[in-house]
């Protein structure tokens, strides 16, 4: 039985999500590097008035390292006034980022808006990768669970050595792991590990999940959103699989 059939979708009252990103990759468009995306900016300016332009340098390895050619490109970051939402455009991808995520429906409507603006301005043959990434940080200090062992918050297969009883209690300074799997024909990478809160110096646990499809993917707006919907359908069940019943209840789940 698929894990999505066993899962009841919820919205957490205490939401551990710190970032959600949907990235749509496509074959490189030299047009975006050659000409600033002024028309694209005009289409989204009412919702994303701020602009940051960042430079990137890619090293093309061939021959001696000292003679390897450099390929320079730019990425354009269009940011909402509240700083919560960002549309990023580069020569080979479009991305939507949310810093404060509540409901998929809100995110999806903004994704449709970004895709419509992009595909109205640029012609692409297909998408090569569509990914949906969720970054959750479980901070026991913030949650009022300082005295609770990690093994009562995070499932042991996800914790790894962090969950060993004889190592708990602050003895583990650094820990990270990566899990790669395929569920319902979707590729998933789960990166986990201990983080340190710069303010409180307490430990927090990162659950970073990346769901993606690769290949020659259909490139219409409806197609892109349908792919993203499928990826979103796995995000809740996978996160729920990573955490314990105790933490799930503590996060104040409400059925949607």
């Amino acid at each position: 039985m698929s894990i999505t059939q066993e899962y009841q979708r919820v919205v957490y009252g205490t939401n551990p999500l710190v970032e959600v990103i949907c990235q749509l990759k496509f074959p490189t468009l030299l047009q975006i590097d050659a000409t600033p995306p002024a028309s694209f900016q005009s289409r989204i300016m009412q919702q994303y008035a701020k602009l940051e332009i960042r430079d990137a340098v890619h090293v093309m390895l061939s021959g001696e390292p000292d003679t390897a050619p450099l390929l320079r490109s730019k990425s354009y970051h269009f940011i909402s006034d509240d700083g919560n939402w960002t549309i990023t455009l580069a020569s080979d991808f479009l991305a939507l980022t949310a810093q404060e995520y509540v409901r998929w429906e809100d995110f999806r409507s903004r994704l449709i808006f970004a895709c419509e603006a992009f595909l109205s301005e640029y012609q692409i043959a297909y998408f090569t990768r569509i990914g949906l990434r969720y970054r959750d940080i479980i901070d026991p200090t913030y949650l009022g669970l300082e005295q609770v062992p990690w093994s009562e918050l995070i499932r042991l297969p996800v914790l790894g050595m962090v969950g060993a009883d004889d190592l708990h209690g602050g003895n583990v300074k650094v820990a990270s792991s990566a899990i790669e799997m395929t569920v319902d024909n979707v590729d998933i990478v789960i990166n986990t590990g201990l983080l340190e809160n710069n303010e409180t110096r307490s430990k927090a646990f990162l659950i970073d999940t990346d769901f993606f499809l690769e290949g020659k993917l259909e490139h219409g707006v409806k197609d892109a959103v349908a792919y993203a919907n499928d990826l979103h359908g796995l995000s809740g069940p996978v996160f729920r699989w990573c955490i314990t019943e105790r933490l799930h209840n503590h996060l104040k789940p409400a059925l949607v």
Side-chain angles (χ1 to χ4, degrees), residues 57-81:
V57 178
H58 308 277
V59 179
M60 306 299 291
L61 296 179
S62 60
E64 296 297 325
D66 292 341
T67 62
L70 299 180
L71 181 62
R72 299 182 182 277
S73 64
K74 295 182 182 294
S75 60
Y76 298 87
H77 303 259
F78 305 92
I79 306 167
S80 62
D81 285 339

Short mmCIF file of all heavy atoms in Angstrom, two decimals, residues 57-81:
data_model
loop_
_atom_site.label_atom_id
_atom_site.label_comp_id
_atom_site.label_asym_id
_atom_site.label_seq_id
_atom_site.Cartn_x
_atom_site.Cartn_y
_atom_site.Cartn_z
N VAL A 57 29.70 32.09 -11.23
CA VAL A 57 30.79 31.71 -12.11
C VAL A 57 30.88 30.20 -12.14
O VAL A 57 30.96 29.55 -11.09
CB VAL A 57 32.14 32.30 -11.64
CG1 VAL A 57 33.26 31.82 -12.56
CG2 VAL A 57 32.09 33.82 -11.62
N HIS A 58 30.83 29.61 -13.32
CA HIS A 58 30.91 28.16 -13.48
C HIS A 58 32.23 27.82 -14.16
O HIS A 58 32.59 28.41 -15.17
CB HIS A 58 29.75 27.65 -14.34
CG HIS A 58 28.40 28.10 -13.86
ND1 HIS A 58 27.71 27.47 -12.85
CD2 HIS A 58 27.64 29.16 -14.23
CE1 HIS A 58 26.57 28.09 -12.64
NE2 HIS A 58 26.51 29.12 -13.46
N VAL A 59 32.96 26.88 -13.59
CA VAL A 59 34.22 26.45 -14.16
C VAL A 59 33.97 25.24 -15.06
O VAL A 59 33.46 24.22 -14.62
CB VAL A 59 35.24 26.08 -13.06
CG1 VAL A 59 36.54 25.62 -13.69
CG2 VAL A 59 35.48 27.27 -12.14
N MET A 60 34.32 25.38 -16.34
CA MET A 60 34.17 24.29 -17.30
C MET A 60 35.49 23.53 -17.36
O MET A 60 36.49 24.02 -17.88
CB MET A 60 33.81 24.86 -18.69
CG MET A 60 32.59 25.78 -18.67
SD MET A 60 31.09 24.94 -18.12
CE MET A 60 30.83 23.84 -19.50
N LEU A 61 35.53 22.35 -16.75
CA LEU A 61 36.77 21.60 -16.65
C LEU A 61 37.15 20.97 -17.99
O LEU A 61 36.40 20.16 -18.54
CB LEU A 61 36.64 20.52 -15.58
CG LEU A 61 36.43 21.03 -14.15
CD1 LEU A 61 36.28 19.86 -13.20
CD2 LEU A 61 37.59 21.92 -13.73
N SER A 62 38.30 21.36 -18.48
CA SER A 62 38.84 20.78 -19.72
C SER A 62 40.32 21.12 -19.76
O SER A 62 40.71 22.27 -19.66
CB SER A 62 38.14 21.34 -20.95
OG SER A 62 38.29 22.73 -21.04
N GLY A 63 41.14 20.09 -19.88
CA GLY A 63 42.58 20.34 -19.93
C GLY A 63 43.12 20.70 -18.56
O GLY A 63 42.67 20.21 -17.52
N GLU A 64 44.09 21.58 -18.53
CA GLU A 64 44.73 21.99 -17.28
C GLU A 64 43.80 22.88 -16.47
O GLU A 64 43.11 23.74 -17.03
CB GLU A 64 46.03 22.74 -17.57
CG GLU A 64 47.09 21.90 -18.25
CD GLU A 64 47.53 20.74 -17.38
OE1 GLU A 64 47.57 20.92 -16.15
OE2 GLU A 64 47.81 19.66 -17.92
N PRO A 65 43.76 22.70 -15.13
CA PRO A 65 42.88 23.52 -14.30
C PRO A 65 43.10 25.02 -14.47
O PRO A 65 42.16 25.80 -14.44
CB PRO A 65 43.23 23.06 -12.88
CG PRO A 65 43.76 21.68 -13.05
CD PRO A 65 44.48 21.67 -14.37
N ASP A 66 44.38 25.43 -14.65
CA ASP A 66 44.67 26.86 -14.75
C ASP A 66 44.12 27.48 -16.03
O ASP A 66 43.99 28.70 -16.14
CB ASP A 66 46.18 27.10 -14.68
CG ASP A 66 46.74 26.78 -13.30
OD1 ASP A 66 45.93 26.75 -12.35
OD2 ASP A 66 47.96 26.56 -13.18
N THR A 67 43.83 26.64 -17.02
CA THR A 67 43.33 27.15 -18.29
C THR A 67 41.85 26.84 -18.50
O THR A 67 41.32 27.08 -19.58
CB THR A 67 44.13 26.55 -19.46
OG1 THR A 67 43.95 25.13 -19.45
CG2 THR A 67 45.60 26.90 -19.33
N ALA A 68 41.18 26.32 -17.48
CA ALA A 68 39.76 25.98 -17.60
C ALA A 68 38.94 27.24 -17.82
O ALA A 68 39.10 28.23 -17.11
CB ALA A 68 39.28 25.27 -16.33
N PRO A 69 38.08 27.25 -18.83
CA PRO A 69 37.28 28.45 -19.11
C PRO A 69 36.24 28.71 -18.04
O PRO A 69 35.74 27.79 -17.40
CB PRO A 69 36.62 28.11 -20.45
CG PRO A 69 36.56 26.61 -20.47
CD PRO A 69 37.80 26.15 -19.74
N LEU A 70 35.94 29.99 -17.85
CA LEU A 70 34.93 30.40 -16.88
C LEU A 70 33.68 30.83 -17.62
O LEU A 70 33.73 31.59 -18.59
CB LEU A 70 35.45 31.56 -16.02
CG LEU A 70 36.70 31.29 -15.18
CD1 LEU A 70 37.08 32.54 -14.39
CD2 LEU A 70 36.48 30.12 -14.23
N LEU A 71 32.55 30.35 -17.17
CA LEU A 71 31.27 30.73 -17.74
C LEU A 71 30.52 31.55 -16.70
O LEU A 71 30.22 31.07 -15.61
CB LEU A 71 30.47 29.48 -18.11
CG LEU A 71 29.10 29.72 -18.77
CD1 LEU A 71 29.26 30.45 -20.09
CD2 LEU A 71 28.37 28.40 -18.98
N ARG A 72 30.24 32.80 -17.04
CA ARG A 72 29.58 33.70 -16.09
C ARG A 72 28.10 33.80 -16.42
O ARG A 72 27.70 33.83 -17.58
CB ARG A 72 30.23 35.09 -16.14
CG ARG A 72 31.70 35.07 -15.77
CD ARG A 72 32.31 36.47 -15.77
NE ARG A 72 33.72 36.43 -15.45
CZ ARG A 72 34.22 36.37 -14.22
NH1 ARG A 72 33.39 36.37 -13.19
NH2 ARG A 72 35.53 36.33 -14.02
N SER A 73 27.29 33.84 -15.37
CA SER A 73 25.85 33.97 -15.55
C SER A 73 25.27 34.78 -14.40
O SER A 73 25.96 35.04 -13.40
CB SER A 73 25.18 32.60 -15.63
OG SER A 73 25.35 31.89 -14.42
N LYS A 74 24.02 35.16 -14.54
CA LYS A 74 23.34 35.93 -13.51
C LYS A 74 22.06 35.21 -13.11
O LYS A 74 21.47 34.48 -13.90
CB LYS A 74 23.00 37.34 -14.01
CG LYS A 74 24.19 38.23 -14.32
CD LYS A 74 23.72 39.59 -14.77
CE LYS A 74 24.90 40.48 -15.13
NZ LYS A 74 25.73 40.78 -13.94
N SER A 75 21.64 35.43 -11.89
CA SER A 75 20.32 35.00 -11.45
C SER A 75 19.59 36.21 -10.92
O SER A 75 20.17 37.07 -10.25
CB SER A 75 20.42 33.90 -10.38
OG SER A 75 21.12 34.35 -9.25
N TYR A 76 18.31 36.28 -11.24
CA TYR A 76 17.48 37.43 -10.87
C TYR A 76 16.48 36.98 -9.81
O TYR A 76 15.70 36.04 -10.02
CB TYR A 76 16.75 37.96 -12.11
CG TYR A 76 17.69 38.45 -13.19
CD1 TYR A 76 18.20 37.57 -14.14
CD2 TYR A 76 18.08 39.79 -13.26
CE1 TYR A 76 19.07 38.00 -15.13
CE2 TYR A 76 18.94 40.24 -14.26
CZ TYR A 76 19.44 39.34 -15.18
OH TYR A 76 20.31 39.77 -16.17
N HIS A 77 16.49 37.68 -8.67
CA HIS A 77 15.65 37.31 -7.53
C HIS A 77 14.62 38.41 -7.31
O HIS A 77 14.96 39.53 -6.88
CB HIS A 77 16.52 37.10 -6.29
CG HIS A 77 17.58 36.06 -6.48
ND1 HIS A 77 17.47 34.78 -5.99
CD2 HIS A 77 18.78 36.11 -7.12
CE1 HIS A 77 18.54 34.08 -6.32
NE2 HIS A 77 19.35 34.86 -7.00
N PHE A 78 13.39 38.10 -7.60
CA PHE A 78 12.28 39.05 -7.45
C PHE A 78 11.57 38.73 -6.14
O PHE A 78 11.06 37.61 -5.95
CB PHE A 78 11.33 38.94 -8.64
CG PHE A 78 12.00 39.12 -9.98
CD1 PHE A 78 12.49 38.02 -10.67
CD2 PHE A 78 12.16 40.38 -10.51
CE1 PHE A 78 13.11 38.17 -11.91
CE2 PHE A 78 12.79 40.56 -11.74
CZ PHE A 78 13.27 39.46 -12.44
N ILE A 79 11.52 39.71 -5.23
CA ILE A 79 11.13 39.45 -3.84
C ILE A 79 9.88 40.25 -3.49
O ILE A 79 9.75 41.44 -3.85
CB ILE A 79 12.28 39.83 -2.89
CG1 ILE A 79 13.56 39.09 -3.32
CG2 ILE A 79 11.94 39.52 -1.44
CD1 ILE A 79 14.82 39.61 -2.65
N SER A 80 8.95 39.62 -2.77
CA SER A 80 7.75 40.31 -2.31
C SER A 80 8.11 41.34 -1.24
O SER A 80 9.15 41.26 -0.60
CB SER A 80 6.73 39.31 -1.76
OG SER A 80 7.27 38.63 -0.63
N ASP A 81 7.22 42.30 -1.02
CA ASP A 81 7.51 43.38 -0.06
C ASP A 81 7.73 42.86 1.35
O ASP A 81 8.52 43.42 2.11
CB ASP A 81 6.36 44.40 -0.06
CG ASP A 81 6.37 45.29 -1.30
OD1 ASP A 81 7.44 45.40 -1.94
OD2 ASP A 81 5.31 45.86 -1.62
#
